[in-house]
Amino acid sequence: MAERIPIASDHAGYELKQHLSRALRELGYEVEDLGTNSPASTDYPDYAHPLAEKVESGEVKRGVLLCGTGLGMSYAANRHPGVRAAVAWAPEIAALARQHNDANVLVLPARFVSEEDGVQILKTWLETPFEGGRHQKRVDKIEASGHEHSGDK
């Protein structure tokens, strides 16, 4: 069975979302489009939170968000426990986000990447495994509350 990947954007990411949804289907993934459904102005948290909830609950392993800079979507998604939403503007950033941070939500800055670059970033993120090892300790510390992560434990 194909992995289901939810994808969502605000108005700034709408066109690139449509393009990446097609690319995901061509790569053999099941796409769950959580909106927006037009380029009309919308609020990014309305799309980031539902996608992040699916990752947080374990309903899906990973998801893709898009907005103008990627920043708003990442702020909202990263408020959810267990979600590691990474803004990636180049394939190398997407690879490092997976290798070192086990990023489970890819956030694309739609106003700053071309369709072609967006597809390359997406493919790299999908295909790159988490390296674990010394990085696992660091990822674990992301989920720790403020008083639990002082110093090297």
Side-chain angles (χ1 to χ4, degrees), residues 39-110:
S41 184
T42 59
D43 297 331
Y44 59 81
D46 295 342
Y47 300 94
H49 289 301
L51 186 142
E53 286 166 5
K54 288 178 179 289
V55 175
E56 177 185 356
S57 72
E59 181 184 330
V60 298
K61 287 180 6 188
R62 51 195 177 169
V64 178
L65 291 168
L66 304 94
C67 69
T69 63
L71 297 174
M73 287 290 196
S74 70
Y75 299 152
N78 279 318
R79 292 198 162 267
H80 294 261
V83 171
R84 290 173 303 283
V87 179
W89 55 92
E92 296 82 4
I93 302 297
L96 288 168
R98 286 289 310 130
Q99 290 168 346
H100 293 187
N101 310 118
D102 198 17
N104 52 15
V105 175
L106 173 65
V107 188
L108 288 154

